[in-house]
């Protein structure tokens, strides 16, 4: 049986926690990008006194401790904040924001600090308000499939706790070991489960949020149907910390699947990848839960920079398919038939498939650890775009051709099932001129192809200057108006999202 041939292939086990490469430190964002500081007050002794009276030891001012809050995960952006506040409750967040608003102190909300667009770190000396101590899981209802928790719950911890009740979080991503559910909501994170469960606008049932002036907005319903006026929660999903600080989240949680299969497959060209996608939707139907793609350069980079290897040798393209269902025999048979006929028709040329939990995790690591490999490379430029499926990899090829030897590696991978590509260019060091011409090239290409310049990472600092370019006048003006109403002093996450 062809399926047996697939199963026989070994899965190489991966390093679970790749340690942070601290070989290089980015230069300060304000210098790299020539940003002008806003008219905010500088944090001073009397402000610190207030924060210390409120939070005691939970005020971080020690230089060596501040570093990890000032620098982003990809080591691309760096702020110079001298104060990190670590509240535990909504009331503390409320008092902090009320005080900062009155004293015109800028605030940078921070969750797990895994933002890829420089949204979570300050640009100057903004006070960092970290939700890392707000990690209570308040209530789980296994029958309704809902959870209420504080915003600072680490996604993986939340998911583990939910699985004890027979549920899973509706969102999952490679940064799960660090990112917070509040950060996920604030960025409207996509990730690998979006194909199956949809985006967070559908799965967030309610939110508790603190406005810039300290007012607490309780919109924390757990009802699936609730048409009693405007859906206020939706305003904050994807608002990237510019409209309010999310303190609690109510989520709709799918049932923990009883059967999960993951296949890692090699394809000879992109056309075959697309045909495999179509076939997987037709053959796997309701059990298909993820469809990811990686090009050869992504896997080469991963292999070079980490200990992780492709378990099936080298191919121009790799596909990772996951199914989640409730009946092992039924799902196994469907997967087996799909793989057999994909091999017979040469859509895929090799692969490995498993339903053993540790091996499932190991295969997912191949896809999820590519960012770790990228981080080891030195400096990287990362673009998260949505493109029509037919031209998905065209931008990768065009970037290679256009920039030639100026780039070390140009590679692409992403959530093909959602049309979401991560285009990565690595270089040994930051080069302003190169960055500017690369960015202009990628933005123009994406717009020419009628794509979106932000699929799931948000605008952050990186794309703020394009907000008016990618939105027509009506929505752009409405965003500005909402910002004026919600945060008239513009203390919340300045220099982000808005140009
Ligand atoms: P942070 O990075 O701390 O903050 C992100 C933004 O949200 C900032 O603007 C911040 O100010 C704001 N914010 C954070 N918490 C709050 C809050 N409580 N209230 C208001 N605003 C807040 N993203 C995806 O969508 N899909 C992926 O598959 C994916 N994979 C990734 C893989 C890796 C290895 C890495 C490093 C990142 C990945 N990302 C992905 C990007 C990132 O993980 C997501 O954007 C994530 O949702 C950010 O969560 P966080 O808690 O780290 O937020």
């Amino acid at each position: 049986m062809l399926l047996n041939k697939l199963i026989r292939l070994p899965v190489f086990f991966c390093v679970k926690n790749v340690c942070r490469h601290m070989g290089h430190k980015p230069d300060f964002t304000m210098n790299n990008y020539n940003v002008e500081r806003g008219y905010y007050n500088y944090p001073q002794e009397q402000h610190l006194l207030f924060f210390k009276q409120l939070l005691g030891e939970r005020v971080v001012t020690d230089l060596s401790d501040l570093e990890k809050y000032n620098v982003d995960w990809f080591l691309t952006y760096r702020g110079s904040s001298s104060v990190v506040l670590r509240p535990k409750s909504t009331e503390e967040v409320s008092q902090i924001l009320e005080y900062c608003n009155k004293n015109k102190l800028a605030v940078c909300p921070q969750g797990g600090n895994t933002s890829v667009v420089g949204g979570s770190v300050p640009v100057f000396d903004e006070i960092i308000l970290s939700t890392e101590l707000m990690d209570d899981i308040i209530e789980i209802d296994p029958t309704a499939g809902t959870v209420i928790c504080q915003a600072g719950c680490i996604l993986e911890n939340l998911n583990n706790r939910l699985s004890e009740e027979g549920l899973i979080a509706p969102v999952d991503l490679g940064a799960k070991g660090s990112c917070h559910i509040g950060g996920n909501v604030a960025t409207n994170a996509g990730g690998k489960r979006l194909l199956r469960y949809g985006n967070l606008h559908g799965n967030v049932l309610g939110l508790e949020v603190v406005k810039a002036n300290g007012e607490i907005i309780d919109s924390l319903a757990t009802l699936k149907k609730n048409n009693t006026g405007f859906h206020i929660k939706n305003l904050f999903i994807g608002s990237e910390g510019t409209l309010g600080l999310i303190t609690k989240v109510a989520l709709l949680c799918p049932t923990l699947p009883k059967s999960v299969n993951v296949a890692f497959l090699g394809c000879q060209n992109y056309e075959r990848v697309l045909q495999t996608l179509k076939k997987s939707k037709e053959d796997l139907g309701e059990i298909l839960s993820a469809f990811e793609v990686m090009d050869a350069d992504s896997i080469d980079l991963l292999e070079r920079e980490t200990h992780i290897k492709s378990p099936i040798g080298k191919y121009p393209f790799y596909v990772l398919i996951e199914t989640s269902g409730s009946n092992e025999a039924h799902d196994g048979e469907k997967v087996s038939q799909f793989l057999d006929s994909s091999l017979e028709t040469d859509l895929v040329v090799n692969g490995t498939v498993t339903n053993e939990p540790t091996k499932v995790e190991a295969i997912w690591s191949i896809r999820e650890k590519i960012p770790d490999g990228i981080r080891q490379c030195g400096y990287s430029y990362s673009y998260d775009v949505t493109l029509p499926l037919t031209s998905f990899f065209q931008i990768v090829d065009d970037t290679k051709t256009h920039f030639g030897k100026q780039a070390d590696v140009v590679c692409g991978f992403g959530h093909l099932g959602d049309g979401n590509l991560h285009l990565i260019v690595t270089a040994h060091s930051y080069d302003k001129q190169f960055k500017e011409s690369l960015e202009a090239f990628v933005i123009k290409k994406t717009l020419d192809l009628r794509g979106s310049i932000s699929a799931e990472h948000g605008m952050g600092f990186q794309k703020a200057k394009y907000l008016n370019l990618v939105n027509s006048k009506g929505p752009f003006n409405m965003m500005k108006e909402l910002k004026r109403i919600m945060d008239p002093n513009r203390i919340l996450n300045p220099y982000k999202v808005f140009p």
Side-chain angles (χ1 to χ4, degrees), residues 73-74 108-116 119-120 131 151 172-175 178-180 182-184 186-192 240-241 244-246 367-368 371 415 422 456-457 493:
W73 192 92
F74 268 112
C108 174
Q110 189 176 91
N113 195 13
T114 64
S115 168
V116 181
S120 53
T131 54
D172 190 14
L173 41 138
S178 306
C179 67
H180 296 181
N184 299 151
T187 53
N188 189 21
K192 64 196 203 197
E240 300 181 60
L245 198 121
I246 299 164
R367 160 64 182 86
E368 293 185 334
H415 313 290
H422 300 315
E456 58 176 11
H457 292 163
N493 226 4

Side-chain angles (χ1 to χ4, degrees), residues 415-429:
H415 313 290
L416 188 72
D418 310 317
N420 178 188
L421 174 80
H422 300 315
L423 165 69
I424 308 293
V425 179
T426 70
H428 283 306
S429 57

